[in-house]
Every structure is written in structure tokens, then in C-alpha cells.
Amino acid sequence: LLLPVGLLSAAIALVLVVKLSRRRLSPLAELRLALRRKEFLMHYQPIVNLTNGRLHGVEALIRWQRPDGDTVRPDLFIPLAEEHGVISDITAVVFKMVAADLRDVLRAHPQLHVSINLSAQDITDPNALKTLRAQLEAAGIKPAQVWLEVTERGCVAVGVAADSTLAQARAAGYQVAIDDFGTGYCGLQYLQKLPLDTIKIDRSFVQTVATDSVTSVVLPHIIQMSHSLQLSIVAEGVETQAQADYLQQSGVQYAQGWLFSKALPLHELKQYVERDAAMK
Ligand code: C2E
Ligand code: MG
Ligand code: MG
Ligand code: MG
């Protein structure tokens, strides 16, 4: 009678040890393992033209799909990767996945683009643009269909290095967008100095657009400035029709957000693109 109980407790102990030893992997070690095991994939969020709802492009957003089925959001692991110098490996994987995923879509729909997020370190990494070019060439994607998103915060962090890298990227045919604009790191003066094509107005800003008096005063300035610098504007995180209407009436051309679509897995994005292409 003692034996089965002994076996049972041994089995329980084993399960515990396995779980604990897995837990003993630091988050960083888990991230490195995930890279080796190719546990990352991309989702794509439609960016639409506010005047007619038609597809303008897509933003590539990374997802970590763990073997246990959990999906880890980039907000949780991108900062870790940035902190520990793993981000260049992740960026290289992103370039590769985006090129493979979207080669057919971009070829069939030359008016569309894909917007890829870069970290501050990528901006100062001379290999990043080389890696990107190699992946795009292999897939037959033209730089004109690729936007690079850098955050306002990232640009400030790397200072003048941002200017020269972004200028290089534009010279190579990419479009450059400043992400999360309006979160208060540097303001409008900074816009004039950077070589840019587009500004993306941050979600926190967009979501207070019809309710917050500060936002209502500042937004027209951002829009006016963007127009005079001939930058296009994308509003992020648009969730309600009221926000969309307000933005459109204020002169914002493009938007993304749950009102239009969440970030989609590739097969759903392809369906979205086909539905959009069928609209006359
Ligand atoms: P981001 O570049 O500003 O991307 C927009 C984020 O807002 C995405 O979160 C998107 O899913 C979310 N979003 C879109 N519409 C709505 C909405 O209507 N309401 C709300 N509440 N959220 C909305 P996600 O995918 O979790 O990405 C978070 C951040 O992680 C991104 O912010 C970007 O900074 C970073 N990130 C994502 N993918 C990559 C990547 O491939 N490389 C790098 N370096 N960073 C990435
Ligand atoms: Mg972005
Ligand atoms: Mg953003
Ligand atoms: Mg963000």
C-alpha cells in the first residue's frame, strides 16, 4: 500500500521540479530560447483612409506565441529585449517574417504599404538597414512600400544619430513615420528637424480627443504643423465613430484602431485585403 503512494508523490515531485526549473529560467533566457525556437509571429493591423474607409496600409505588430498557448504582448518583452541587447535579433526576425508574409499581398496591391516598428537601438545599428534591404530584395518588395516607425522617445534617446539614419533610410526609398507622437517627449519643434514623411498621433491622445480640453487645443496645432511640413497623419487607437469623425473633420487623413480592425493574423489580413480590393 505504501508503494503506490510513494510513486504518486514522486510523480508529483517531478512535475513540480520540471515546473520550477522552467520557472528558474530568467525572462531573458526564455526570450533567447523563444528566438531559437521561432515562437514569434506577426499580426497586421489595417490603416485606413478616413474619408472612404479604404485600406491604406498595414502595421506589422509582433506576437510571442508560447508553446503553452499563451500569447505574450510586445509591451512585455520588447523593453526586455531592448535592455539586454537582444532587440537586433528580434528586429532581424521581424524583417524576415514581414517580407515572407507580405510579398504576395504587396506585389498584388502596389498602393499598399507595410509599416514596421524600429527600436531606438535599431536606428543606430548600421546593420539594421542592410538586413532589411537583403530581406526585401529576396522577397521582391520595393522600399517604397515599406514605412519605418520610430518613436518620438526613441529619436530623442539616440539624438543626432536618428537624423542621419532616418535620412539614409529615406534616401534608400523608405518612408519614415514618427510613432506615439504627442506623448510629450519633445513637441512640435522636434518635428521640423527630423527627416519624416508621417506622424502617428498616439492612442492616449486620440482617445481624449473629444473630451479633454488640452487635447482639443493641441491637436489642431499638431495637424496644422504636419500640413505645413507636408507630413501625412495617422491617428492610432481610434475606437469610436465620434473619434473618427472628430479626427476627420480636423484634417487627419488616416487612422487605425479597433473601430476599423484589430491587428489580424496573416490569413485574416489577406481576407481583409481581398474584401477591400473588391469594393468599388
Ligand atoms: P505601437 O507601434 O504604437 O502599436 C500600436 C499598438 O496599439 C498595438 O499594440 C496595437 O495592437 C494597439 N492598438 C491598435 N488599435 C487599438 C485600439 O483601438 N485601442 C487600443 N487600446 N489599442 C490599440 P501591440 O501590438 O500590443 O504593440 C505594442 C507596442 O509594442 C507597439 O506600439 C510597438 O511600440 C511595440 N511593437 C510591436 N511590434 C513591434 C516590433 O515588431 N518591433 C518593435 N521594436 N516594437 C514593436
Ligand atoms: Mg507603431
Ligand atoms: Mg504608436
Ligand atoms: Mg506604442
Side-chain angles (χ1 to χ4, degrees):
L1 200 99
L2 278 176
L3 189 64
V5 173
L7 272 179
L8 190 64
S9 52
I12 290 171
L14 183 66
V15 168
L16 281 176
V17 166
V18 168
K19 281 227 153 168
L20 286 179
S21 63
R22 272 228 191 141
R23 286 234 184 91
R24 247 183 264 129
L25 277 185
S26 69
L28 179 61
E30 288 216 33
L31 195 58
R32 292 215 165 100
L33 194 60
L35 268 168
R36 282 206 299 279
R37 292 186 176 164
K38 303 192 191 323
E39 291 174 10
F40 296 96
L41 75 163
M42 304 307 293
H43 281 185
Y44 298 95
Q45 185 175 38
I47 299 169
V48 304
N49 189 324
L50 276 170
T51 56
N52 56 15
R54 298 296 297 271
L55 190 61
H56 180 53
V58 300
E59 178 172 7
L61 296 160
I62 194 169
R63 300 290 180 260
W64 177 2
Q65 194 77 63
R66 310 221 347 175
D68 60 13
D70 286 354
T71 304
V72 187
R73 300 192 28 190
D75 284 338
L76 294 176
F77 65 85
I78 292 287
L80 186 76
E82 288 174 341
E83 200 179 319
H84 292 95
V86 185
I87 192 67
S88 60
D89 296 329
I90 291 188
T91 301
V93 167
V94 167
F95 290 160
K96 192 172 181 176
M97 291 191 290
V98 168
D101 284 352
L102 296 186
R103 58 187 299 167
D104 298 339
V105 169
L106 291 176
R107 205 173 293 168
H109 305 279
Q111 79 286 4
L112 299 181
H113 70 268
V114 59
S115 210
I116 303 176
N117 291 284
L118 297 185
S119 290
Q121 280 119 303
D122 299 320
I123 309 175
T124 49
D125 177 0
N127 285 320
L129 282 183
K130 279 187 211 153
T131 308
L132 177 60
R133 192 178 60 198
Q135 294 294 350
L136 295 180
E137 275 176 5
I141 298 170
K142 294 197 183 71
Q145 281 183 276
V146 178
W147 294 17
L148 301 177
E149 295 191 9
V150 294
T151 60
E152 194 184 0
R153 198 184 331 193
C155 287
V156 174
V158 302
V160 285
D163 295 31
S164 66
T165 313
L166 300 184
Q168 263 178 47
R170 290 181 85 216
Y174 303 103
Q175 293 209 28
V176 174
I178 191 148
D179 203 357
D180 299 351
F181 193 79
T183 45
Y185 286 88
C186 49
L188 294 173
Q189 265 69 36
Y190 195 67
L191 273 189
Q192 292 173 300
K193 296 202 193 121
L194 281 176
L196 295 176
D197 302 280
T198 296
I199 73 161
K200 298 190 73 172
I201 299 177
D202 191 64
R203 174 170 87 227
S204 59
F205 211 75
V206 165
Q207 292 183 344
T208 55
V209 104
T211 52
D212 183 288
S213 56
V214 176
T215 305
S216 313
V217 171
V218 175
L219 186 70
H221 286 285
I222 295 181
I223 293 167
Q224 202 179 26
M225 181 84 159
S226 306
H227 286 165
S228 66
L229 294 172
Q230 293 177 319
L231 304 176
S232 74
I233 310 174
V234 177
E236 297 190 278
V238 177
E239 293 181 357
T240 69
Q241 191 60 50
Q243 290 162 356
D245 293 343
Y246 185 99
L247 290 161
Q248 199 210 331
Q249 280 151 26
S250 307
V252 173
Q253 305 131 293
Y254 305 107
Q256 64 189 94
W258 296 346
L259 175 65
F260 310 104
S261 173
K262 294 202 170 191
L264 303 171
L266 180 63
H267 69 280
E268 286 181 39
L269 188 263
K270 285 181 171 169
Q271 291 165 0
Y272 187 108
V273 170
E274 292 317 315
R275 275 200 308 278
D276 181 80
M279 288 190 334
K280 280 280 147 61

